[in-house]
Each structure stands twice: as structure tokens, then as C-alpha cells.
């Protein structure tokens, strides 16, 4: 938080962050910036819901440079606090919207998959099931990062079943 916010109650800071998150991706970038320096285990409980929302709302942001760095720091803190499902969802969403250039985001997705491969796979499968432009972008991104994320083979194959399109899609992962 900016230094002037240090004397403000957490409830008032939370209200400010809520207002910023209501402004979409730009507001989320500001919240992520404020949280990235302050989000530690001692404040994780206080701002966890805000941090989770900022991660999701901020995923469509043009995550580059400092914004991606802040996004990743908040994601890492949430992973350390056990929020693997939310972090995996946000990372997959960001990659599906922005593509392969998100190095920190890929690292975060890899960390989430290491902690809970099933959660990471479910997040990926949800995007694959949409069959929209984000699906194509996610598959293209995986083509350039093939093998970088450990996925649960049995779950992937169960999802494919006998579906030829799904079989083709998972060969890109």
C-alpha cells in the first residue's frame, strides 16, 4: 500500500480496493501493485479475497513488465496460502487471452500444476471446451511451451475419451 494508507484501517483499504476492482483491468493493475509489496502471510488473511479477485480481474490486462511481475508476486503469495485453484484459473485465463509472452504467468501456472496438477488441468480443460478464440490462443501458446506443465495423464485421457477434436487438442499440450 502507499505509505499514506498505512494509517488507514484494513476495512477502509479493502473498500478502496473493491472500488478499484470495479473499474476492471486498470483498477486490478493498481490493486496488484499495492498488494505486491504488502501481501505477506500476515496480511494474506486480511486481503485474500481481494487478492484472488485482483488476480482474476487482472488476468485480461496486458500483463507485461511490472504489471505481470506484480500479478506473479500476488499469485505466488496466494499459492503459498493454498489458493491453487484460483491461481491456476487466473493463469490459464491470462495465457488464453494474451499468449506465450507471459513468462512469469507460465511460471506461476507451472507452480500451480506442481502443487495440484488436477486443478491446473481442470482450468485448462474449461478453456479447451469453449472452442473459441481463447481456446486457439491457449493451444498455440502450449505449442511453444510444450511439456512445460506437468499434467495428470489419466485425467487428460479420460477427458479426451473417444473425441477426435479433443485428442487433437491435447497433442498440443
Amino acid at each position: 500500500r502507499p505509505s499514506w494508507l498505512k494509517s488507514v484501517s484494513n476495512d477502509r483499504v479493502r473498500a478502496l480496493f473493491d472500488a478499484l476492482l470495479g473499474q476492471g483491468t486498470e483498477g486490478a493493475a493498481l490493486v496488484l501493485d499495492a498488494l505486491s509489496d504488502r501481501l505477506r502471510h500476515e496480511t494474506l488473511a486480511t486481503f485474500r479475497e481481494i487478492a484472488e479477485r485482483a488476480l482474476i480481474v487482472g488476468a485480461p490486462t496486458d500483463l507485461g513488465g511490472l504489471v505481470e511481475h506484480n500479478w506473479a508476486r500476488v499469485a505466488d503469495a496466494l499459492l503459498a496460502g493454498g489458493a491453487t485453484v484460483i491461481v491456476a484459473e487466473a493463469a490459464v485465463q491470462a495465457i488464453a487471452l494474451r499468449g506465450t509472452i507471459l513468462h512469469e504467468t507460465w511460471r506461476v501456472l507451472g507452480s500451480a500444476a506442481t502443487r495440484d496438477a488436477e486443478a491446473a488441468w481442470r482450468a485448462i480443460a474449461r478453456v479447451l471446451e469453449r472452442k473459441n478464440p481463447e481456446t486457439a490462443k491457449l493451444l498455440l501458446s502450449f505449442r511453444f511451451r510444450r511439456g512445460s506443465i506437468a499434467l495428470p495423464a489419466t485425467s487428460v485421457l479420460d477427458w479426451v475419451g473417444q473425441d477426435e477434436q479433443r485428442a487433437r487438442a491435447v497433442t498440443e499440450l
Side-chain angles (χ1 to χ4, degrees):
R1 296 186 278 192
S3 60
W4 62 269
L5 281 177
K6 291 179 182 177
S7 64
V8 177
S9 74
N10 285 338
D11 288 340
R12 305 259 336 247
V13 172
R14 192 177 298 106
L16 174 66
F17 288 169
D18 277 334
L20 287 168
L21 288 173
Q23 297 174 21
T25 57
E26 292 83 9
L30 294 171
V31 172
L32 290 166
D33 182 49
L35 288 175
S36 70
D37 288 333
R38 303 292 180 200
L39 191 58
R40 306 277 189 267
H41 289 288
E42 65 272 11
T43 61
L44 183 61
T46 304
F47 295 111
R48 182 175 173 147
E49 180 190 337
I50 294 288
E52 289 175 355
R53 285 181 42 221
L55 219 58
I56 295 292
V57 173
T61 306
D62 188 8
L63 289 175
L66 186 58
V67 176
E68 184 186 14
H69 173 76
N70 291 335
W71 187 94
R73 286 188 67 187
V74 172
D76 288 339
L78 287 169
L79 278 174
T84 307
V85 172
I86 292 287
V87 171
E89 290 282 342
V92 169
Q93 179 181 339
I95 292 165
L97 291 168
R98 296 292 173 205
T100 61
I101 60 169
L102 303 174
H103 302 295
E104 284 292 303
T105 307
W106 276 98
R107 182 192 57 72
V108 167
L109 179 57
S111 295
T114 298
R115 290 176 185 270
D116 187 346
E118 290 291 336
W121 166 244
R122 285 189 303 273
I124 292 165
R126 275 192 281 287
V127 173
L128 295 178
E129 289 168 356
R130 292 184 203 149
K131 298 178 184 173
N132 61 16
E134 285 81 28
T135 303
K137 191 173 278 187
L138 181 67
L139 287 173
L140 180 62
S141 297
F142 265 100
R143 184 177 299 154
F144 289 104
R145 300 276 186 156
R146 190 170 283 150
S148 63
I149 306 295
L151 298 173
T154 302
S155 296
V156 172
L157 293 175
D158 288 347
W159 180 80
V160 169
Q162 298 299 313
D163 189 299
E164 292 174 9
Q165 285 184 324
R166 286 182 173 190
R168 184 172 296 131
V170 299
T171 63
E172 302 290 337
L173 305 178

